[in-house]
Amino acid sequence: MATDSKQFDFGFRNGRLRVAWYALLAVLLLVGGYAMWLRLQGGMRSTNLTSITPWGAWVAFYIYFVGLSAGAFLVSTLANVFGIERLHRVDRDALFAAIVSMVVALLFVWTDLGRMDRMWHPFAWRQVTSALSWEVHAYVAYIFVLMTELYFSMRYDLARVAERGTGLRARLAGLLTLGRRQLTDESREADRTWLKRAGIVGIPLAIFMVHGGTGVLFAVSKARPYWNSGLFPVIFIISAVLSGTALVMLLYVLRTRLFDGERVDRDILDRLATLLAAFVVVDVALTAIEALIAIVSLHPHEVETWRLILFGEMSWSFWWFMVGMGWVFPLVLVSKREWRRTPWLMAVAGLSVVIGIIAVRFNIVVPPQIRPVMEGLPHGSYFPSAVEWATSVGMMAVGLLLYTIGAELLPLTPLDGGDH
Amino acid sequence: MSSNDAMPGVPDTPDRAQLDAMVDAEQADPRAELEDVDFSTELGVAMAEDAKAVSRGEITSEEYWQRYDDLAAEEFGEVYHETPNPAVDHDTAQTIEDDVAESLSCTVGSMASIAESLEEPAGDSEGASEDGEDDDHRWGMVIDLQKCVGCDSCSVACKAENRTPPGVSYNVVMEEEHGEFPNVQRTNVPRPCMQCENPPCVQVCPVSATYKMDNGVVNVDYDRCIGCRYCMIACPYGARYFDFGENYDDEVEGAGEITSPEYGVDRGEREPKKSPVGNVRKCHFCHHRLNRGEEPACVETCVGDARNMGDLDDPDSEVAEMAASTRAMQLKEGEGTDPNVYYLE
């Protein structure tokens, strides 16, 4: 077990890359910040939303990041609950990414409120029959579970950094141990036990409440037949797990290369890529079933909505992004064993899915709001405004910044390489 | 009589003397009229003159009746005593027969008691009846589609009454054409908020800002609504609108100066970032008008008298009878929302 000082320096290996990366984030944050100012000043008028299409890009990104979070979390449980030892190395990364994604998701849903100043109202007044009311509480509980998990997963290494590291990292690590600085094997065992317990609470919370619940939020809308199906929340969860796996794979390659300066473990990569392939297949199959049921029902609203997705003016987002980048391209990349063991190819596959699932989310949110709920009411037409795009980029940059700072300061890679 | 710059088609107003002469010419001679009946002409003229004096405030009502009660009793005999006089007989409960009152849909009672009962709902409108608690009505609307001509005046009256901003229209008329020329049919379906018995919007609101009042109207609490728009997603009738904060400032000077006291709350001038801007809005059956004993603006204005407002819980009310007729239907009955707006096919 090597404990040279280099091991406690988890930041970028390459100083110029660090500067470039933070400069890019700064630009994105400036653009996003300006757009956010426009949104705050102009209110919801700064969007392209209408009363026919009241939910748009912000809602799509909100469910996207909720999904990303739930997916990343479930990947982390593969290691610390289901005992897939190999994946221990990505466990904290997945947890931290899950927390950051959730923060970004809440930023999006906050920005989407007509009255942002009333964000606290759901905690003061409730409605038992409202999925959204339940969701808000589930999100808070979920973030709490995630932080608990990350704490128990990382506490031992935090204590080591606090003891042997230097500077800001050591001080921060000392604070984050919350006073538990023992480096004994018993304390480590206690951590693992509690980690598993929190994971067991977290799994149903993530699957059924957080992401399944977000699917339910849509599925209960009887007025929108496209959403109103029992399979819908299930697809939500599958696509969440898919995007989460892809994100973890991408982060693993990038961070190992750029931060840890180590060789990427080909076995881990292979395992993640195989999982990814399985999730793509399930996602495709369930989506096809859903579409088939909808179209064969001949319900005019369902048929019209699917016609819109497949052949409408925004069908490029379905074919190129959802089918192409989300499903076909990554499936091709993970089809050969040799490719599955090639880090940069897998990073590309991960990125492709992570982008493709954005289109999945947009194609969930927008299409059923184009055809009006009643014949004779005006049809909708929606493409996000510049302010919506720029604020979205800004909020994602906040997420990237949080992740980067965390990756620079926290021992997200187990200090003993994850093999124990 | 007319000047050159008079508006074409608009008649000039005659001067006062001319108007008075016109009235005099139309007025019957009281003496001639009274001479046609068996009773005393002199007494009739004197009572009429003094009645004018009462209305001018020169003598009081009591003085008047002191002067004439006995004289009139003498002149008219038994009949005079049998006819209740609301001005004198304060304890007499009513002035007309029950069945006559019903046929005229009049309220029955002495003038004073009716006046009192009229004042009550108006005076209380900010308190008890805001929640509809004191209200045992279940407000419902029946729209006769055969009478609707698709003139959209209901939508216009609604906009004027509720002062809704651009993009917000509590009432719309959904117009559809069927068939091919020359066999074309047109259906007009006015669409207010259905005030559903089982409202999906209420079900989904995460902060209970929208709720059903006892009188059947679905309320939106603008002070609580966070503007998440989930209710708009859930409404099967597209009856909910988001207030994006737009204004008619370019079209009308001082467009936002006056707002409607929706749900009995006067919010004053319309300002950016002040509710209902950023909230979801919808038709509320002109709740503020109902509280004053008035019909909703759309009902009042309807040129074809297609819209009817009333109490669905009262089986004798017109709307209850219409809603029970074989022609009655609700929009999207399969949704299970059970709207309180009925249509007559």
Side-chain angles (χ1 to χ4, degrees):
Chain A
M1 185 159 86
T3 49
D4 54 309
S5 67
K6 182 172 164 259
Q7 207 188 339
F8 297 113
D9 180 18
F10 340 101
F12 279 99
R13 295 285 109 189
N14 183 333
R16 280 164 70 189
L17 191 63
R18 172 186 279 138
V19 171
W21 176 242
Y22 281 114
L24 174 68
L25 286 185
V27 170
L28 296 181
L29 284 171
L30 275 177
V31 172
Y34 176 65
M36 188 58 91
W37 184 78
L38 289 178
R39 184 257 174 269
L40 292 174
Q41 287 307 305
M44 294 298 281
R45 254 192 293 181
S46 58
T47 67
N48 277 348
L49 296 169
T50 59
S51 286
I52 302 291
T53 316
W55 281 357
W58 288 331
V59 171
F61 278 118
Y62 142 63
I63 62 171
Y64 171 74
F65 281 101
V66 170
L68 212 53
S69 173
F73 167 73
L74 291 175
V75 172
S76 85
T77 61
L78 289 178
N80 55 38
V81 177
F82 298 106
I84 301 179
E85 288 293 327
R86 278 256 167 242
L87 293 181
H88 255 300
R89 198 174 148 76
V90 296
D91 157 17
R92 291 175 201 167
D93 222 8
L95 278 173
F96 189 62
I99 295 173
V100 171
S101 293
M102 210 55 215
V103 170
V104 176
L106 292 182
L107 267 181
F108 271 105
V109 81
W110 183 28
T111 308
D112 189 60
L113 291 185
R115 291 293 303 253
M116 290 176 72
D117 52 320
R118 295 182 180 170
M119 60 171 293
W120 54 277
H121 280 202
F123 302 103
W125 294 285
R126 299 179 176 81
Q127 168 64 272
V128 279
T129 54
S130 169
L132 191 52
S133 182
W134 283 94
E135 279 315 290
V136 174
H137 296 86
Y139 296 155
V140 175
Y142 174 63
I143 291 182
F144 179 74
V145 169
L146 288 178
M147 303 237 251
T148 311
E149 286 241 330
L150 185 60
Y151 170 75
F152 284 117
S153 169
M154 204 163 60
R155 205 259 337 152
Y156 190 82
D157 282 347
L158 284 174
R160 285 208 285 190
V161 175
E163 194 181 285
R164 293 173 217 169
T166 50
L168 180 62
R169 279 195 192 92
R171 277 209 303 283
L172 184 71
L175 276 178
L176 292 178
T177 55
L178 304 178
R180 291 179 61 238
R181 294 197 182 194
Q182 306 93 315
L183 285 171
T184 55
D185 280 347
E186 296 90 80
S187 71
R188 196 169 202 188
E189 244 355 274
D191 283 348
R192 290 220 177 107
T193 313
W194 280 102
L195 177 61
K196 193 162 181 173
R197 283 177 187 165
I200 288 167
V201 174
I203 291 169
L205 188 67
I207 295 182
F208 301 114
M209 290 296 289
V210 172
H211 211 62
T214 307
V216 167
L217 196 151
F218 289 85
V220 292
S221 304
K222 206 179 170 203
R224 318 272 170 177
Y226 171 73
W227 292 335
N228 188 218
S229 98
L231 196 53
F232 199 76
V234 180
I235 295 182
F236 242 74
I237 295 167
I238 296 300
S239 48
V241 175
L242 173 59
S243 65
T245 313
L247 178 72
V248 171
M249 193 162 81
L250 174 66
L251 290 179
Y252 172 59
V253 174
L254 289 183
R255 234 169 43 75
T256 312
R257 277 288 174 84
L258 303 178
F259 283 39
D260 301 342
E262 285 174 19
R263 277 180 55 82
V264 174
D265 184 332
R266 305 296 155 109
D267 288 338
I268 294 180
L269 208 56
D270 196 351
R271 197 168 275 258
L272 284 173
T274 316
L275 272 177
L276 189 79
F279 292 140
V280 169
V281 170
V282 177
D283 196 33
V284 172
L286 289 183
T287 308
I289 289 171
E290 173 82 353
L292 205 65
I293 294 173
I295 292 166
V296 173
S297 78
L298 297 183
H299 189 296
H301 210 290
E302 298 248 35
V303 175
E304 181 70 22
T305 305
W306 272 103
R307 229 173 51 83
L308 210 65
I309 294 170
L310 299 177
F311 313 111
E313 59 173 338
M314 300 294 284
S315 57
W316 54 266
S317 73
F318 177 80
W319 295 111
W320 289 105
F321 284 87
M322 188 165 159
V323 175
M325 294 184 75
W327 295 339
V328 177
F329 184 56
L331 215 48
V332 169
L333 288 185
V334 302
S335 60
K336 276 180 80 171
R337 184 164 185 278
E338 199 180 317
W339 291 348
R340 285 201 294 276
R341 295 174 158 269
T342 313
W344 72 268
L345 267 182
M346 286 307 97
V348 169
L351 185 65
S352 172
V353 171
V354 166
I355 292 170
I357 299 291
I358 295 177
V360 173
R361 299 312 183 206
F362 270 85
N363 274 310
I364 281 171
V365 172
V366 180
Q369 302 178 71
I370 299 301
R371 189 185 193 266
V373 284
M374 302 258 282
E375 285 294 343
L377 291 177
H379 277 246
S381 162
Y382 173 75
F383 191 79
S385 69
V387 168
E388 283 175 277
W389 283 124
T391 48
S392 300
V393 167
M395 285 185 271
M396 287 186 260
V398 169
L400 289 172
L401 183 69
L402 287 177
Y403 178 81
T404 314
I405 291 174
E408 291 227 64
L409 295 179
L410 300 173
L412 290 183
T413 306
L415 293 179
D416 46 12
D419 303 314
H420 37 68
Chain B
M1 96 176 195
S2 69
S3 55
N4 287 335
D5 58 3
M7 295 274 284
V10 178
D12 278 343
T13 315
D15 63 35
R16 233 192 141 77
Q18 214 175 344
L19 282 172
D20 286 350
M22 286 164 77
V23 174
D24 286 344
E26 286 295 316
Q27 202 174 29
D29 176 22
R31 252 165 219 293
E33 294 288 314
L34 285 172
E35 265 160 16
D36 286 348
V37 294
D38 294 340
F39 302 105
S40 160
T41 304
E42 290 309 317
L43 179 64
V45 171
M47 284 179 81
E49 286 302 321
D50 282 347
K52 287 188 205 164
V54 171
S55 56
R56 284 193 300 266
E58 289 163 10
I59 58 171
T60 68
S61 183
E62 278 74 26
E63 284 170 335
Y64 179 89
W65 287 110
Q66 264 172 18
R67 202 177 292 174
Y68 292 110
D69 201 26
D70 290 340
L71 289 171
E74 203 176 299
E75 180 70 20
F76 298 112
E78 276 305 297
V79 190
Y80 180 71
H81 289 292
E82 281 166 17
T83 312
N85 183 339
V88 180
D89 310 321
H90 291 291
D91 52 337
T92 308
Q94 62 191 79
T95 51
I96 53 171
E97 298 285 333
D98 277 333
D99 42 356
V100 180
E102 192 157 331
S103 74
L104 296 170
S105 24
C106 285
T107 317
V108 163
S110 72
M111 291 297 210
S113 70
I114 290 172
E116 263 172 39
S117 70
L118 283 177
E119 275 163 18
E120 264 171 25
D124 263 4
S125 63
E126 279 179 22
S129 48
E130 189 191 317
D131 291 356
E133 276 170 13
D134 278 7
D135 214 330
D136 51 1
H137 287 85
R138 179 163 60 96
W139 291 114
M141 191 181 281
V142 180
I143 302 173
D144 191 334
L145 296 181
Q146 296 201 8
K147 286 184 180 173
C148 175
V149 295
C151 67
D152 281 305
S153 58
C154 44
S155 306
V156 174
C158 175
K159 270 212 154 281
E161 175 68 32
N162 289 298
R163 309 246 161 196
T164 49
V168 178
S169 195
Y170 296 166
N171 184 86
V172 294
V173 181
M174 303 184 295
E175 290 158 13
E176 260 185 61
E177 278 178 10
H178 307 281
E180 271 179 43
F181 181 82
N183 300 315
V184 181
Q185 259 202 329
R186 188 181 167 122
T187 46
N188 309 302
V189 183
R191 199 271 358 247
C193 167
M194 302 289 136
Q195 320 289 353
C196 306
E197 276 301 287
N198 308 314
C201 52
V202 168
Q203 212 177 7
V204 299
C205 177
V207 293
S208 300
T210 191
Y211 57 92
K212 196 149 172 74
M213 293 190 280
D214 288 343
N215 64 10
V217 176
V218 174
N219 193 320
V220 181
D221 184 345
Y222 292 148
D223 292 324
R224 189 183 288 186
C225 171
I226 58 175
C228 72
R229 313 185 292 291
Y230 197 6
C231 51
M232 301 173 67
I233 293 292
C235 177
Y237 305 100
R240 285 178 166 256
Y241 293 83
F242 187 73
D243 191 332
F244 283 89
E246 283 166 59
N247 294 299
Y248 286 116
D249 285 341
D250 293 342
E251 289 85 358
V252 186
E253 212 173 303
E257 269 173 28
I258 300 171
T259 54
S260 157
E262 293 181 23
Y263 310 103
V265 184
D266 186 1
R267 293 174 185 277
E269 204 172 320
R270 183 173 164 81
E271 288 165 34
K273 297 180 188 177
K274 181 176 113 179
S275 285
V277 173
N279 293 136
V280 175
R281 307 177 63 173
K282 68 170 194 74
C283 155
H284 43 92
F285 275 0
C286 282
H287 200 250
H288 56 289
R289 289 176 60 99
L290 290 177
N291 279 345
R292 298 198 293 250
E294 294 171 89
E295 291 183 315
C298 57
V299 176
E300 195 176 73
T301 206
C302 179
V303 292
D305 200 18
R307 284 176 175 251
N308 301 274
M309 187 75 191
D311 180 8
L312 287 172
D313 273 351
D314 173 8
D316 295 329
S317 73
E318 252 179 38
V319 285
E321 278 172 19
M322 284 190 276
S325 90
T326 49
R327 280 173 62 205
M329 59 122 185
Q330 297 158 307
L331 292 182
K332 293 195 175 179
E333 285 172 18
E335 296 278 327
T337 48
D338 191 12
N340 279 327
V341 174
Y342 288 82
Y343 293 86
L344 298 182
E345 286 174 294

